[in-house]
Amino acid sequence: MAEREGGRQEFIETRNAPSDPDREAPPVGGDGSTGAAGGVGGYNYFWIDAGDRVAEFNGEPRSSLITSPEDGRIPAVTADGQRRRMQAFRRLAGEFDNPENRPVGERCILSFGSNAGPPMLPNYFYNNNYSIVQTSDHIMIMTEMVHDVRIIRMGEPKPLPDGVRPWMGDSRGRWAGDTLVVRTRNLNPDQMAAYAYLFAPGSENMTVTERFTRADEHTINYEFTVEDPDTFESNWGGEVPFTRLEGQLYEYACHEGNYALSNVLSGARAQERAAARASGTEGSP
């Protein structure tokens, strides 16, 4: 734990060093690297808050947030799950015909990770905070990124029809002593497609069970289990400590998709016109 946290501090200090004002401009089109910066000078590390501590659950430092299976790794993906994962990746690399072809994170609809969930997981980038509001018949969880509001219906509400699949699914909660137990189904297929980066897009039968338990005044113990035999060879789950934030949670005003998405699509149209001119098919029906 000391070695990992010490190395992390050194990494942060190195990446936070002032940029060389005399450095050369990046090459046209970027340097080929991946990530949010795209190799052309996006965010520097001043804006990143990926964390500098090892997660501790009930006082135990963890090498993995996954606790089931015991090896701390997500189980193998079934053949059908692999097929859906490849479909999701081909969709991202395919036609740029319309906004619906672009991922939900790029469109500023949901986080580019699984912040809102379920399961609710850190994105290892920034803005991993939540505001939780409790009433007699609902629990509201406002996710900082991307200002998603998740509604958990308490008691025994009538489940949504199978064809109704809202963002973050149909979540129903109940109390088991001091623990809030939430079971979610009917996850939106576009949201599950975004999970291709994390594990694999779930099937339409994917179910997530979550447990929220207040461990002390400053900590909520969050536990989750993913059940989806059509995607994973066994159930899997984990534990994440939620630590109370001292301070105000500001709006994550994600607007890049609103402005840049038109450039993404118009750029694709320009590439198509250039390809048509090169092939001599411009203007053909």
Side-chain angles (χ1 to χ4, degrees), residues 1 5 53-62 219 221 240-241 243:
M1 178 178 176
E5 291 185 350
R53 299 283 303 279
V54 170
E56 293 188 49
F57 198 90
N58 286 335
E60 301 174 347
R62 298 292 175 84
T219 309
N221 285 346
V240 185
T243 303

Side-chain angles (χ1 to χ4, degrees), residues 82-147:
Q82 291 283 10
R83 177 185 59 80
R84 277 183 270 109
R85 173 182 278 171
M86 293 307 300
Q87 285 179 335
F89 283 134
R90 281 198 295 268
R91 175 180 172 183
L92 296 179
E95 297 287 342
F96 284 46
D97 289 333
N98 52 64
E100 286 72 24
N101 281 359
R102 308 312 306 147
V104 292
E106 183 177 283
R107 295 160 61 193
C108 292
I109 294 176
L110 295 171
S111 168
F112 48 71
S114 182
N115 291 53
M120 297 163 61
L121 301 174
N123 61 33
Y124 301 103
F125 200 62
Y126 56 18
N127 300 102
N128 289 290
N129 298 308
Y130 303 98
S131 290
I132 302 176
V133 177
Q134 175 181 338
T135 72
S136 59
D137 51 6
H138 290 86
I139 304 289
M140 184 279 290
I141 302 178
M142 196 284 287
T143 308
E144 183 178 17
M145 183 177 180
V146 179
H147 49 250

